[in-house]
Amino acid sequence: MQTRMREYRARTGLTQEELAARVGVRRETIVFLEKGKYNPSLRLAWRVARELGAGIEEVFIFGEEDLEK
């Protein structure tokens, strides 16, 4: 999975800590999401995208290899 979280977070001026607080997770979760090392639940992906002012598919990019797992 690829993510554009860092890019969208920069646009909104949110820190990792602020985004984490808004979506109800720890900052470390945001770090792992931004590195593509953690696949979020649909609920978390929706919350993150909403806070970043984007659609889920704009923030989280799944390739064919991600869908086969």
Side-chain angles (χ1 to χ4, degrees):
M1 175 188 75
Q2 294 180 345
T3 179
R4 296 176 66 198
M5 279 181 62
R6 187 173 290 136
E7 174 188 337
Y8 278 91
R9 189 171 54 75
R11 288 182 189 177
T12 61
L14 291 171
T15 66
Q16 290 175 337
E17 189 76 35
E18 291 166 335
L19 179 58
R22 289 185 179 198
V23 300
V25 298
R26 296 174 20 169
R27 185 188 65 80
E28 291 81 7
T29 302
I30 300 299
V31 170
F32 286 128
L33 284 169
E34 287 187 353
K35 290 181 177 182
K37 297 192 182 251
Y38 177 73
N39 286 331
S41 67
L42 180 56
R43 179 173 287 161
L44 178 55
W46 183 81
R47 286 179 180 163
V48 167
R50 183 183 65 178
E51 288 298 328
L52 297 176
I56 292 173
E57 67 281 357
E58 295 174 278
V59 178
F60 300 99
I61 300 112
F62 291 91
E64 287 298 318
E65 65 279 358
D66 297 313
L67 300 175
E68 293 174 4
K69 294 180 182 175

